Amino acid sequence: MWKSVTSGGINSCSAAILDGGEIVYSEGFGAADRAAGLQADGKTRFNIGSTSKMFAAAAILILADENRLGLDDPVIRHLPEFTMKDPRYRDITIRMLFNHSSGLPGSTFVFGYRDDQNPHAVLLDTLRESTLKHDPGAMGIYCNDGFTLAEMIVERVSGKPFLDFLKERVFEPLGMKDTGASIGISGGKVAEFYDEKGKKLPRELVAVLGAGGLSSTVEDLCRFSGAFIPGGKSFLSEKMREEILRPQPTPFAASLRGQSLLEAFGWDYALLPEFRDLGFQMVGKSGGTSFYTTNIQILPSRGLAVAVIFSGHGPTQEATCTIMKALMRDKILQVPEKPRPVPPAAAEPVPLELLAHEGYYVDASRAAFFSFDREKGLLNIHPLSGQSDRSSPAPLVLQYNGGYFHDFERNRKYYFTAAGGETFLVFADIPQYGGDVLFFQKVPVPLTPAHLAADVDGRVWFLRNASPFLQSPDILLVRSSRIAGLPGYIDFFGIKRVESQKYAAIAATGFRDQCSLSLFKKGNETRVKVMQFVFSGEDSVPTISGGKVVIGPEGENEWRRSEGGAVLSFVKPEDGRVIVLSGTGDFPLLFDSITDEGEIYVPEGSFLFFAGDSGDIFEVVSR
């Protein structure tokens, strides 16, 4: 952990260990607040991201303990206002929200600096126009939105705000005094976040509490972990404690050769193969926001738990697992051996039955063409995006041997499987987890490809409904494209299959955080909607060299393109936001009024983003 801090990639971090119900170790590394000279320790508060999901799981199981709901109740029994275009949504149960098998598209929220939106209303509005990726219960694909629905169920059934319920039933009974809403709300002794240039950014806020919006300390996370250890202080009955620890498999798990991940009650895993083979159950949950990374790992049968949190994107799973193995050695317990590299082996001819898998594939953000060289025993994966044909050199060549396709250089192996009418390439035995995860999914090529009413090839789109307190500017500009060599597919917030002039569906139905696309007109302007986001095309962006910009009556973001290179400064409303992005490449950030002030040189063709309330006036001053 010290190496992570001193390498410059991490601001600060903390670790704590629970043994037999007692916190036996707690330490911080690096400065939590550089200006104040405060060092991180075990009581320093960080945002914990998706580790918050385990608190949603705890709340639901408390209510199940009291027979106020059933884990296999349909979600609509408790949230009748939840509807979707896809009628299968009626079959989603509460349990499916926790083993990630609901089929919901993904993540309907953004990280921010202020709680200025109603995430429950945004989610319900977005789902109302959405379809499922697969049948409810069929397979486990990481899904944040299911946990926001669970948060809403807790509030509906208990009659209390989610945080109030947790404080009363979980935090106070366990002595968790430093756990609650995001640090952007809760404050206290927090680990600040600094960018790569050393700027301290505003405190992060995540509004979806059950999916990822809590903050905590490593000591509090250890206290929470102790609730799942036999004989430990807990808020659950023995029956529900057993429920939260047992695997929650889906039918898709039977199609995998190894252990599936996610198919547990909220955890990333309820079993790790390398520990299971030694007779130990290991459970764990990670969490990540734009600024922080977290991990907890629990060995229930031995009363051990480890919690690690980083300000920055740190190796949390590696850290917790390393500490846990050291604890086990101290207790004279057998520890999994370090995996040995697999030496390259001679290629074997590809079996004839596998040749049918040649074709087009997608993952969460890429498209590729798979071809086989049967006699040489090779699978060639040719990326399609940005290439005119599939004869380009393949950047990834896998070698067939012993039933797997190997990347010997990276010590990785893959295999094909089929389930639910879909064909997948699976990444086997992934590092640190030992489970199998999807790598690519085969997609059909339509005989008569559909086309959107608007040309999306190489176009830039501008977000029009972003909050002034949006944390990351990465989603403000999107460059869309057709998929070279794959007719009927486009790339816009992920790969999509065009089904009509106004609609493109999710192509990668086996992957997280996917969404469909709708095209519509607002006046004479073409608009695109993906999830809760609305974009307009580059034709609607006027140029500017100076002057005033006014936020319109609907409160939409305003955009301008710099007419020529100039030194600019900005006068903005108190809660307004100005962002300048380069018009080249991946639109690198040049200026953000959240952290920057004064003058800036704005190259010709750069894009200027303005966000505020209706009627707000911004002044652009040119020198």
Side-chain angles (χ1 to χ4, degrees):
M1 296 181 74
W2 264 122
K3 287 179 181 178
S4 294
V5 172
T6 57
S7 69
I10 297 298
N11 297 309
S12 62
C13 51
S14 298
I17 296 168
L18 184 84
D19 185 355
E22 300 293 331
I23 295 175
V24 298
Y25 171 86
S26 174
E27 190 173 2
F29 308 85
D33 187 325
R34 297 175 186 174
L38 295 177
Q39 296 300 298
D41 60 25
K43 294 179 173 60
T44 300
R45 200 161 180 159
F46 301 72
N47 283 345
I48 63 171
S50 287
T51 306
S52 306
K53 290 177 169 62
M54 297 316 304
F55 293 91
I60 286 289
L61 290 175
I62 289 170
L63 295 171
D65 247 345
E66 298 172 349
N67 294 317
R68 300 169 74 179
L69 57 77
L71 298 183
D72 296 308
D73 288 351
V75 170
I76 58 172
R77 180 176 299 175
H78 303 285
L79 295 177
E81 65 271 38
F82 163 49
T83 63
M84 298 182 72
K85 285 172 59 176
D86 190 327
R88 295 176 295 175
Y89 81 93
R90 299 185 182 93
D91 298 326
I92 298 173
T93 68
I94 293 174
R95 186 187 304 277
M96 293 173 190
L97 304 179
F98 289 93
N99 70 352
H100 298 273
S101 68
S102 65
L104 294 171
S107 302
T108 310
F109 68 93
V110 293
F111 300 116
Y113 297 124
R114 187 179 292 183
D115 188 7
D116 62 342
Q117 294 184 330
N118 182 338
H120 295 174
V122 170
L123 175 59
L124 292 176
D125 287 345
T126 303
L127 291 179
R128 198 170 289 121
E129 299 300 318
S130 301
T131 59
L132 295 175
K133 291 188 290 189
H134 56 74
D135 289 341
M139 61 193 304
I141 303 170
Y142 200 90
C143 178
N144 283 302
D145 286 344
F147 290 80
T148 302
L149 290 177
E151 173 191 335
M152 296 165 66
I153 291 171
V154 171
E155 295 191 341
R156 181 65 52 83
V157 174
S158 71
K160 298 178 180 179
F162 184 68
L163 267 180
D164 289 352
F165 183 84
L166 288 177
K167 183 178 180 181
E168 177 185 327
R169 303 300 299 273
V170 180
F171 302 159
E172 290 182 351
L174 295 180
M176 299 173 63
K177 298 179 180 179
D178 297 306
T179 300
S182 298
I183 61 172
I185 296 175
S186 61
K189 182 182 179 181
V190 305
E192 305 288 0
F193 179 82
Y194 301 84
D195 69 12
E196 66 277 2
K197 296 180 180 179
K199 293 180 186 175
K200 185 172 83 169
L201 275 68
R203 291 179 178 178
E204 179 184 69
L205 187 148
V206 185
V208 284
L209 300 172
L214 299 183
S215 66
S216 191
T217 68
V218 287
E219 291 187 9
D220 269 6
L221 289 180
C222 278
R223 294 183 181 99
F224 179 67
S225 299
F228 311 113
I229 291 170
K233 188 176 183 180
S234 185
F235 43 80
L236 294 175
S237 68
E238 182 62 20
K239 177 182 177 182
M240 288 303 164
R241 191 188 66 80
E242 290 177 357
E243 182 69 42
I244 201 171
L245 291 177
R246 75 176 182 87
Q248 309 270 336
T250 68
F252 183 75
S255 68
L256 300 176
R257 298 180 186 177
Q259 175 73 41
S260 62
L261 299 176
L262 298 180
E263 297 185 348
F265 205 89
W267 309 102
D268 290 342
Y269 49 85
L271 292 170
L272 279 184
E274 62 175 2
F275 289 95
R276 177 200 58 200
D277 294 344
L278 298 176
F280 298 114
Q281 181 187 21
M282 188 73 74
V283 298
K285 185 71 191 85
S286 62
T289 68
S290 294
F291 290 173
Y292 302 94
T293 43
T294 310
N295 203 67
I296 56 175
Q297 196 170 59
I298 308 169
L299 188 62
S301 65
R302 299 292 173 157
L304 297 175
V306 178
V308 168
I309 318 180
F310 288 82
S311 172
H313 291 172
T316 52
Q317 172 70 9
E318 179 183 353
T320 51
C321 207
T322 301
I323 295 169
M324 182 64 77
K325 288 178 179 179
L327 289 169
M328 294 176 70
R329 291 188 189 97
D330 286 348
K331 295 178 178 295
I332 322 298
L333 300 175
Q334 191 174 0
V335 174
E337 295 181 2
K338 185 177 180 180
R340 297 179 178 179
V342 178
E348 301 170 351
V350 178
L352 288 173
E353 64 271 17
L354 295 183
L355 301 184
H357 296 320
E358 182 170 283
Y360 294 92
Y361 287 75
V362 297
D363 67 2
S365 60
R366 302 173 297 171
F369 182 78
F370 284 22
S371 67
F372 295 96
D373 186 326
R374 181 177 181 273
E375 296 304 320
K376 291 184 178 179
L378 303 178
L379 167 59
N380 301 296
I381 299 179
H382 309 261
L384 293 180
S385 297
Q387 293 188 6
S388 60
D389 59 65
R390 62 176 183 260
S391 63
S392 303
L396 181 58
V397 179
L398 305 180
Q399 189 170 314
Y400 186 77
N401 180 276
Y404 290 90
F405 291 90
H406 295 265
D407 179 350
F408 288 111
E409 182 178 346
R410 297 178 178 85
N411 198 28
R412 298 177 178 180
K413 61 182 181 180
Y414 307 84
Y415 64 91
F416 286 95
T417 193
E422 303 286 348
T423 299
F424 302 94
L425 183 67
V426 178
F427 183 177
D429 193 20
I430 63 172
Q432 297 185 23
Y433 293 92
D436 292 1
V437 298
L438 298 184
F439 190 58
F440 272 101
Q441 175 181 354
K442 192 174 185 180
V443 293
V445 180
L447 294 175
T448 307
H451 301 279
L452 290 173
D455 182 12
V456 299
D457 195 31
R459 293 198 68 189
V460 179
W461 300 84
F462 299 77
L463 187 58
R464 301 302 301 273
N465 62 338
S467 160
F469 306 101
L470 173 78
Q471 186 184 67
S472 173
D474 292 348
I475 63 171
L476 295 179
L477 289 176
V478 175
R479 194 186 301 275
S480 63
S481 64
R482 294 196 299 265
I483 306 300
L486 183 52
Y489 289 80
I490 62 169
D491 184 357
F492 192 125
F493 259 68
I495 311 300
K496 295 171 174 51
R497 182 182 66 255
V498 180
E499 294 192 345
S500 71
Q501 289 188 331
K502 296 183 177 180
Y503 182 76
I506 296 169
T509 58
F511 293 84
R512 64 174 290 180
D513 297 338
Q514 299 296 299
C515 59
S516 57
L517 176 151
S518 297
L519 207 64
F520 66 98
K521 284 280 190 179
K522 184 173 183 179
N524 294 324
E525 189 177 80
T526 297
R527 296 282 183 102
V528 168
K529 185 172 184 181
V530 289
M531 298 185 292
Q532 73 270 39
F533 305 123
V534 176
F535 292 84
S536 60
E538 53 192 307
D539 298 340
S540 64
V541 179
T543 59
I544 190 172
S545 58
K548 289 181 170 58
V549 176
V550 181
I551 302 297
E554 297 182 20
E556 290 191 325
N557 310 138
E558 291 291 329
W559 286 90
R560 299 291 185 270
R561 188 198 306 263
S562 59
E563 192 169 31
V567 175
L568 302 180
S569 61
F570 307 97
V571 180
K572 68 177 187 65
E574 181 179 356
D575 288 337
R577 180 93 168 267
V578 180
I579 294 176
V580 181
L581 300 164
S582 171
T584 61
D586 294 328
F587 314 114
L589 178 68
L590 302 178
F591 176 92
D592 185 349
S593 61
I594 284 282
T595 55
D596 302 323
E597 58 184 17
E599 294 182 325
I600 176 180
Y601 176 73
V602 178
E604 181 179 1
S606 298
F607 296 111
L608 286 71
F609 165 87
F610 303 87
D613 294 329
S614 175
D616 278 353
I617 300 174
F618 297 78
E619 187 173 357
V620 180
V621 181
S622 177
R623 177 173 65 84

